[in-house]
Amino acid sequence: MGSFLFVGALAFASIHSVPSDLPGNWTSVGCYTDVAGVRTLSASTYTDTKNMTVGNCISFCENQDYIYAGVEFSQECYCGNTINIDDTNATATDCNMPCTGNALETCGAGGRLNLFWSGATPPPPPVTSPKVGDWTSIGCFSDNVNGAGRSLPVGADLAGPATIRTCTAACFASGYQFAGAEFAAELRIGSSGNFFPRACIDCSMVCAGNSSEFCGGPNRLTVYNYTGTDLPPITNPGGGGGGAGAAPVVNVYDGLPGTWNYSACYIDNAHGRIFENAIGPNATTTVESCVNSCIAGNYSVAGIEFGVNCGNRLINGAEPAIENTCNMGCGGNSTEACGGPNRLSVYSSSKNITVLPVPTVLNDTNILPKNWTYAGCYTDENNGRVLPWQIIWEHNATVEACVNQCSTFGYTAASLEYGQECYCGDISDIQANGATLAPETDCSFQCSGDPIHLCGGGLRMTTYFFNGVKNVWHTPAVTVPLIATVGLNNKVTFLEKDGTGFPNSTGAYELDLSLTHDFDHAWREMHVKSDVFCSASIILPDKAGRQINVGGWSLQSTYGIRLYTPNGVEGVNSTNDWEEDYNTLKLQRGRWYPTAAMLPNGSILVVGGETGSNAPAEPSLEILPRPPGGDTYLNMDWLQRTDPNNLYPFIFVLPGGGIFIAYYNEARILDAATFDTIKSLPNAPAAVDNFDGGRTYPLEGVAMSLPQHAPYTDPLEILICGGSTPGPGFALDNCVTIAPEVENPTWTIERMPSRRVMPCMAALPDGTFLLLNGAHQGVAGFGLATDPALTALLYDPALPLGQRMSILNTTIVARLYHSEATLLPDGRVLVSGSDPQDGKNPEEFRIEVYVPPYLETGLTQPSYSLPKNDWAYGGTYQITNVTLHQGSAATMRVSLIAATSSTHGNAMGSRTIFPQFSCSGRTCTITAPPNANISPPGWHQLFILDGPTPSHSQWVRIGGDPGELGNWPSTGPFTVPGV
């Protein structure tokens, strides 16, 4: 599985939470459950997917005179004057989701509410008024559940906001004995009723006109009986009242717009509502106004029953009724028929109306994605959602869309609820989170985008499982550096921040790993003149393999260009230091968080960044050495548009000669000479429930180009792993790959074993990639991530998709913001840094080496001699004295790993190449890559592999120094090594 070893340390040297600065007298009450049938706070509510904060929620509730405010699920706000008695105080850590408008604040969680109180005395809780005049409460009763019919047959309008007094007054005026209040604002009346008693708590909605009393609930009536003896004769109550004693009503056949005409009287709610869109009751409704309202909405079918209903079809197995049962007069014209109890007067612009059948479970394996089957109707929200990822499709939810979305992102369970909500997770989540099979009739909501199929119910999940193999995750048996680079002298240079760093730091160090037994000589102090905080570095192709570092934190340092020439040998301290002179050599534009890359022509591309620490965008690119002729930088609108989520973009030279660049969640191919866009690529997918997630800083993932194999005819693929989402900072749990140069390129998604933001990746000599460091939650930056990712992963592109991940060993050191991973010449990986400044995890001086699985077998590493280390493109070169201890030349491999400089998960300059070679005896002849598009000019670590086991590497230069960087800069206090 590989292992971590500590190799030494240098001998010197916000988590989101409940805010304390609340307005006025507001205080935090704690974390509360919110999983009962009635909300913890059941008055006003709103949702804000981008700008929810505790302060915004409190302000919303306070402006409506509520004394309690609560935030939940990152984006939901609830208000009230009472707390539901069935919900209780929960563990504080249960509320662990950041607010969408401020990732530093906590906004509850699934089924958990951060609760706040204004300090005011709560008003008395609402009650069921026992008596109003001669009207007496007889209890709470069900109404029209699953189309069973109305308990009271007549609907009536109210003269003002709903209260028990206004409801009973309207009922008395119409001459009826029974009055029922429902849904906080609706009135049903009748001379008799079809009553089915229910628990009083079911009638828990406060009256719209009086929050101190209850007016029924969803499909629940608070019913009152008139006990007096002076009821007037029954009359039309309005709102489609009609009934006994009302004048005859007729359908409208003339004077309607265009081809509109009466269709039929239909039964409503036999199997559910037969229209998909309801405008609501209106006391002045007429047939003409109903039809005109539907025309305004571009609908072709209209229906009237206490209100206006519109659509382009009828659903839920709509059936015609006996015509004379549509006998209620319209509120605006009592001579026109406006439906009846559970009856709709239907009009249409077409002679033929499409009627869709009663919805059923989609259980056809010929329609469902491959290997997906229906699993049943399951319960949900037993102390939190059963499946973790929610997607809401208000108008277009379908089973196929939900299952496909979950499957694409690597999940094995998909469920649908409330007709419009899709949830993704794993089959193991069902049992782990307490879900159980419910009666099939509980999942009765039609899908918002497919009304002939079922999409769950209230807290009931229409659930599908994947019955195949989806994710195979194998299990093989000194400084706080910002930038780590292995030099040609096989020593590691580190650069660290200055202005925000430790006062006794010199900003630069070199580590000789051959001297780790001798601490005083293993580390050498070096020096930089300006702050390299969040700058960029690559290795130059000049004959000395100089390291160049550009950009920085603020002021002059953002323009900085710094050069270091590695010298000396292992075991003896080197003598060279960093060279920098702002007056002689600087960037055209100041840059913080830029990326540097080597172009095929041997010049240096510097892209993007900001003008300083958290300053405006620098949406441009420039070339080094600076071309003659004034300002030569180029502004890019796509960098301006995607700031600030495009920092440290990923850049790779493509075999076709273009430049691939990925920034935020976008990607494109640029012309290597003009930098015009050749091809805009599809946006990279992010989270299963959030397409706005990104892959570059601060939503930081990591990228590599996958190995290229001679004869280099396969298209180059780019791999990007991890990242996060804006706002809540939900780290991504997948890798994506794309072959940018193929026709119609698309991204392929592969799920990782866990979520990860700020990961690091190192290319290994066997063609695999080590993924480690980072966090499971948050974004990159000081104090903005939590839950360190301690387990290393291995990605093997030689394995089939979905089977490329291996779970390796675990460290005890949290490696968060500003951590790095660098391949060493002996095949191990140096792991360093971590600068979270979160008050919990330390600035990390300890350095580790990770021993990959190929060095854990106990096999002796092979060896070779390298007579010539300066290779031309397409040339053939020999390695001699090849010594293999396990296999033969037939099983040997040769790899070239480009020199890189690693910072913020961006291994600038990375490339993996498996060149053509042949062997005779102990001498092997290697053919260098054919051109600068396959392998941009530069230095590479040359490994040979004896089966799985790599040799120690030696450095070779491929392609020379076509830009003559070895003679640059020609002025100032710089030492130039030549080309």
Side-chain angles (χ1 to χ4, degrees), residues 488-522:
L488 297 193
N489 57 4
N490 287 338
K491 301 176 185 181
V492 185
T493 60
F494 296 106
L495 293 172
E496 70 169 348
K497 62 185 182 180
D498 180 14
T500 58
F502 288 89
N504 58 340
S505 170
T506 62
Y509 301 87
E510 187 172 61
L511 171 63
D512 187 338
L513 288 164
S514 71
L515 296 175
T516 53
H517 61 283
D518 182 358
F519 184 87
D520 291 337
H521 293 97

Side-chain angles (χ1 to χ4, degrees), residues 180-540:
E182 184 172 8
F183 281 113
E186 298 181 8
L187 172 62
R188 305 290 305 181
I189 58 180
S191 297
S192 61
N194 185 25
F195 297 134
F196 295 93
R198 290 292 181 264
C200 289
I201 195 173
D202 284 8
C203 290
S204 58
M205 297 183 72
V206 297
C207 299
N210 184 357
S211 62
S212 69
E213 60 185 358
F214 291 119
C215 279
N219 296 111
R220 296 293 186 269
L221 284 164
T222 301
V223 178
Y224 288 81
N225 176 34
Y226 187 69
T227 59
T229 59
D230 55 345
L231 277 174
I234 292 175
T235 59
N236 187 346
V249 295
V250 296
N251 300 310
V252 176
Y253 293 96
D254 299 313
L256 296 177
T259 59
W260 281 80
N261 210 332
Y262 177 70
S263 176
C265 177
Y266 274 85
I267 301 171
D268 190 28
N269 247 339
H271 310 287
R273 304 308 299 266
I274 65 173
F275 273 88
E276 296 168 271
N277 305 284
I279 296 178
N282 188 316
T284 62
T285 295
T286 66
V287 169
E288 292 81 0
S289 68
C290 172
V291 169
N292 285 326
S293 295
C294 292
I295 291 174
N298 292 319
Y299 295 111
S300 61
V301 185
I304 320 167
E305 177 198 12
F306 303 125
V308 177
N309 299 269
C310 301
N312 292 311
R313 60 197 177 187
L314 300 180
I315 60 174
N316 280 321
E319 300 173 1
I322 299 172
E323 279 296 321
N324 64 11
T325 58
C326 283
N327 57 14
M328 295 197 302
C330 298
N333 185 343
S334 60
T335 68
E336 295 180 351
C338 276
N342 294 309
R343 296 295 186 269
L344 277 160
S345 297
V346 175
Y347 290 78
S348 174
S349 64
S350 171
K351 291 183 179 180
N352 298 313
I353 299 177
T354 300
V355 178
L356 299 181
V358 176
T360 58
V361 171
L362 177 53
N363 196 13
D364 186 342
T365 55
N366 293 318
I367 298 176
L368 291 170
K370 185 178 180 181
N371 292 326
W372 284 86
T373 57
Y374 175 64
C377 179
Y378 275 84
T379 60
D380 193 18
E381 206 167 286
N382 181 18
N383 295 320
R385 291 292 189 186
V386 170
L387 300 181
W389 301 111
Q390 179 195 55
I391 310 156
I392 296 178
W393 290 318
E394 186 175 353
H395 302 294
N396 59 347
T398 68
V399 172
E400 300 100 303
C402 179
V403 172
N404 271 316
Q405 182 76 354
C406 298
S407 185
T408 298
F409 281 81
Y411 296 99
T412 58
S415 71
L416 300 103
E417 285 188 42
Y418 289 104
Q420 62 182 19
E421 299 177 6
C422 170
Y423 291 87
C424 300
D426 290 313
I427 296 173
S428 59
D429 293 329
I430 298 291
Q431 182 175 1
N433 293 322
T436 57
L437 281 169
E440 287 293 309
T441 53
D442 283 8
C443 289
S444 59
F445 286 32
Q446 68 191 42
C447 302
S448 64
D450 177 15
I452 69 171
H453 290 118
L454 294 171
C455 282
L459 296 180
R460 292 296 184 269
M461 307 184 298
T462 299
T463 304
Y464 295 83
F465 289 165
F466 183 77
N467 297 310
V469 177
K470 183 163 288 291
N471 304 298
V472 178
W473 294 319
H474 307 280
T475 306
V478 94
T479 176
V480 186
L482 306 181
I483 304 173
T485 310
V486 176
L488 297 193
N489 57 4
N490 287 338
K491 301 176 185 181
V492 185
T493 60
F494 296 106
L495 293 172
E496 70 169 348
K497 62 185 182 180
D498 180 14
T500 58
F502 288 89
N504 58 340
S505 170
T506 62
Y509 301 87
E510 187 172 61
L511 171 63
D512 187 338
L513 288 164
S514 71
L515 296 175
T516 53
H517 61 283
D518 182 358
F519 184 87
D520 291 337
H521 293 97
W523 292 94
R524 178 172 74 95
E525 288 186 358
M526 296 195 293
H527 308 81
V528 289
K529 294 181 179 179
S530 59
D531 197 339
V532 301
F533 180 16
C534 300
S535 54
S537 290
I538 58 171
I539 309 300
L540 300 185

Side-chain angles (χ1 to χ4, degrees), residues 46-57:
Y46 82 101
T47 298
D48 193 332
T49 60
K50 296 186 180 298
N51 198 37
M52 180 61 69
T53 66
V54 171
N56 288 347
C57 181

